[in-house]
Amino acid sequence: MEKKLRLRFLLITWGLLLLLFVTLCAGVWVYYQSRSNDSAMALQRIIMQFDTAETASELFEPTLGAAAIRAAEDGTVTELRLGRLALSEETANKIAEAVKESPADHMDTVTVDGMEFRYLLRITATGERQIAITENGGGALWQNFRGYIIVFIVLAAVLSFAVSMMLSHIMTKPIADAWQKQNDFVSDATHELKTPLTVIGTNTDAVLSNPEATVGSQSKWLDSISGETKRMSGLVADLLFIAKADAGEIKLDLQPLRISDEMEGLCMEWESEFFERGQIFEYAVTENMVYSGDWAKIRRMTEVLLDNAMRYTPQGGSVHLVMNRTGKMQLQIIVSNTGETLTVEQQKKIFDRFYRVDASRARESGGYGLGLCIASAIAQLHNGEMRVSSEGGINVFTAILGDAETTMSK
């Protein structure tokens, strides 16, 4: 999929760049041909008026850089009339000499003293040469351009290919990453659902194999089925939340909150949980803070952080929660715990869906590796972000809820 998409993007971009270059070359060619045709028509008009015009102003257009030369059969200039073309008598003589052997009504170019001129020659019945000339400054340039056109096309093809290759990598990477995440999501979800479904199926077969047994005697299997069903319901609910968050379909119920009071109440509820596990739990909540947010989701985010800290803190270890505000008046919730230091690679993946630092503890702890992903999504829904740092056996998770009303009450 990724290779096909990248190849398609490469070919389309490359084709468009080549088309642009060819169009530019064609535009230059059309412009030159237009100027060349205009020049040819001007020379013809000068020749046609050569004998009837009495002054240079009658012979030339006001903006035309041209001159008219009347020469004898041997090339000697007998008359020189100038328009807007600065031409000396010496140069005129050289031009007349250079074109004297040209056939009648012949239009061509001639180079004199390093300058290229375009001319039209008419030979009268008496052998007199009437020559109309204009500068042909673009002619040499065009000749060189035509000479190097193949080189230009090859260079353009190579450069546009390199640019297209670079753009294809840049533009398709987000799509490829999204596609890979989708595949990983489906694969991980399938794997996580497979285990409870297998347990439910096995226990159901055990119950059905004893049709005469009472419900009480089958409670072992039925309790297992009920437990796995609840786990699956929780997993499906979490998956649905993440999917809706990714699609931008979750709406926040924003309310003005006395967030300090709400957070203190939540921390008090969790004190007994940490006590039973033999862990130290301390919290410091800045007083009298108010915040406009969705408390149900902020509570869920905070509980995810506390639950994660509890799972990975050894007995006798400590967990700390701090809530305050940043210098930008953003709400900041920091949960830290003692435990194994997270590696840099683990910190990069810690908020990925289905990622677990210790996968072997998944079933015994009841986690699927979605909690921190959901917490991060909730922070983003509040225009904030989730951060993690780990050093010296202290793991710190920081939720910053930004771009929302966070002020100290009076």
Side-chain angles (χ1 to χ4, degrees):
M1 170 64 183
E2 179 182 354
K3 291 182 178 179
K4 289 182 179 180
L5 180 63
R6 184 168 295 171
L7 178 60
R8 184 179 302 175
F9 185 90
L10 171 63
L11 293 177
I12 292 175
T13 307
W14 191 25
L16 289 175
L17 289 176
L18 283 178
L19 179 62
L20 176 62
F21 179 77
V22 171
T23 301
L24 290 174
C25 290
V28 173
W29 182 82
V30 170
Y31 175 75
Y32 173 78
Q33 288 297 111
S34 174
R35 294 296 301 271
S36 179
N37 292 336
D38 290 345
S39 177
M41 293 177 64
L43 292 176
Q44 290 172 353
R45 285 196 298 270
I46 292 172
I47 289 295
M48 292 175 62
Q49 300 173 14
F50 208 95
D51 295 321
T52 59
E54 296 181 357
T55 64
S57 61
E58 294 176 353
L59 185 62
F60 304 107
E61 296 178 5
T63 60
L64 184 63
I69 301 173
R70 193 190 299 272
E73 187 174 356
D74 62 357
T76 303
V77 174
T78 59
E79 183 183 2
L80 173 62
R81 284 192 273 181
L82 301 176
R84 296 175 61 87
L85 180 62
L87 190 69
S88 66
E89 291 185 7
E90 181 183 357
T91 302
N93 285 321
K94 290 180 180 180
I95 293 173
E97 178 67 25
V99 306
K100 70 178 182 179
E101 301 298 332
S102 300
D105 299 321
H106 180 67
M107 185 178 293
D108 203 346
T109 60
V110 61
T111 302
V112 175
D113 295 335
M115 295 181 62
E116 187 175 73
F117 300 91
R118 192 175 191 189
Y119 71 89
L120 175 62
L121 172 65
R122 181 173 69 178
I123 303 176
T124 65
T126 62
E128 182 183 69
R129 267 67 174 162
Q130 296 176 348
I131 310 167
I133 62 174
T134 62
E135 279 188 310
N136 196 44
L141 179 62
W142 176 249
Q143 293 296 329
N144 291 332
F145 180 76
R146 288 195 302 177
Y148 289 105
I149 187 66
I150 295 178
V151 177
F152 289 162
I153 290 177
V154 171
L155 288 176
V158 173
L159 290 176
S160 61
F161 181 82
V163 172
S164 300
M165 181 70 75
M166 180 182 66
L167 290 177
S168 68
H169 281 278
I170 295 174
M171 299 302 294
T172 59
K173 189 177 186 305
I175 300 175
D177 290 345
W179 181 264
Q180 185 61 44
K181 286 183 178 180
Q182 177 178 318
N183 288 338
D184 292 343
F185 182 80
V186 173
S187 176
D188 292 337
T190 301
H191 175 74
E192 296 295 348
L193 288 170
K194 182 179 179 180
T195 300
L197 285 173
T198 300
V199 173
I200 290 173
T202 301
N203 291 336
T204 301
D205 290 340
V207 172
L208 294 176
S209 65
N210 297 286
E212 303 300 328
T214 63
V215 173
S217 63
Q218 301 278 22
S219 61
K220 174 183 177 181
W221 314 115
L222 294 175
D223 288 343
S224 178
I225 292 174
S226 177
E228 293 298 332
T229 301
K230 290 179 180 178
R231 285 167 55 83
M232 283 183 59
S233 292
L235 173 59
V236 171
D238 289 345
L239 291 175
L240 183 60
F241 182 91
I242 294 173
K244 286 185 175 181
D246 289 343
E249 297 178 357
I250 294 182
K251 304 299 181 183
L252 296 179
D253 181 19
L254 297 177
Q255 299 290 336
L257 305 170
R258 298 190 65 84
I259 194 70
S260 297
D261 296 341
E262 299 286 2
M263 189 60 66
E264 285 184 359
L266 176 61
C267 290
M268 287 169 46
E269 294 175 17
W270 276 76
E271 282 182 319
S272 59
E273 294 285 340
F274 286 102
F275 180 78
E276 290 180 4
R277 285 176 172 260
Q279 298 168 339
I280 300 170
F281 177 51
E282 298 176 337
Y283 57 91
V285 176
T286 301
E287 296 181 351
N288 301 323
M289 289 185 66
V290 296
Y291 178 74
S292 179
D294 188 329
W295 171 245
K297 292 180 176 59
I298 294 174
R299 179 189 177 99
R300 184 178 184 183
M301 176 191 70
T302 306
E303 288 185 329
V304 166
L305 297 179
L306 291 174
D307 182 69
N308 180 76
M310 179 184 291
R311 293 176 193 274
Y312 291 96
T313 299
Q315 188 173 13
S318 60
V319 176
H320 297 267
L321 181 146
V322 176
M323 190 183 77
N324 52 25
R325 57 174 181 165
T326 67
K328 296 181 179 180
M329 300 298 290
Q330 297 169 312
L331 182 66
Q332 181 174 248
I333 303 171
I334 305 170
V335 176
S336 60
N337 70 284
T338 56
E340 294 185 10
T341 302
L342 298 174
T343 66
V344 174
E345 188 65 23
Q346 288 172 335
Q347 292 178 49
K348 290 180 179 179
K349 297 180 179 180
I350 198 72
F351 298 113
D352 291 349
R353 60 195 63 176
F354 292 112
Y355 180 77
R356 290 181 291 259
V357 175
D358 186 358
S360 63
R361 297 178 57 188
R363 288 196 59 78
E364 70 179 51
S365 63
Y368 288 101
L370 294 176
L372 290 176
C373 179
I374 291 174
S376 179
I378 292 174
Q380 292 174 22
L381 286 171
H382 285 80
N383 297 318
E385 61 177 335
M386 190 74 69
R387 301 174 184 173
V388 61
S389 62
S390 183
E391 185 176 357
I394 304 294
N395 302 318
V396 182
F397 290 84
T398 304
I400 297 178
L401 309 187
D403 198 22
E405 183 182 355
T406 306
T407 59
M408 298 294 291
S409 63
K410 301 294 185 180

